[in-house]
Amino acid sequence: MKNVSISEFRANLLKYLRVVQNGEQLNVTSKGTPLATLTPPVSQHKTSRAKLRKLANTAIIHDVLSPIDDSWDAMK
């Protein structure tokens, strides 16, 4: 994680935002005291895909098309 002073951050805002966008975390400090931590945005697509993969590994698939012995109102 990279540390940068608030004055340096202000002077080169776009440069540091690109650094964060490329995946690096950045601490903004004032007189050595951390003010904020900037992190890259979370990709909703990647997060959703990971959750679906995890769910797929635990899913139990059965035959849901074949009728059972019980008569349902929907089948009439």
Side-chain angles (χ1 to χ4, degrees):
M1 188 177 316
K2 190 173 188 177
N3 290 326
V4 64
S5 68
I6 187 71
S7 57
E8 174 69 18
F9 181 70
R10 283 183 190 163
N12 298 297
L13 178 63
L14 290 177
K15 171 187 161 189
Y16 288 115
L17 289 179
R18 285 189 188 107
V19 167
V20 172
Q21 183 181 26
N22 289 330
E24 189 173 338
Q25 289 189 341
L26 180 71
N27 276 337
V28 180
T29 62
S30 175
K31 299 178 184 174
T33 304
L35 298 176
T37 301
L38 300 175
T39 60
V42 176
S43 169
Q44 293 293 335
H45 179 72
K46 288 181 183 177
T47 303
S48 297
R49 280 281 182 202
K51 286 180 182 178
L52 284 173
R53 268 190 240 105
K54 185 177 178 182
L55 181 61
N57 291 335
T58 63
I60 299 172
I61 300 172
H62 293 286
D63 180 10
V64 295
L65 299 176
S66 299
I68 57 174
D69 294 337
D70 294 336
S71 177
W72 294 359
D73 291 336
M75 295 175 70
K76 294 179 184 177

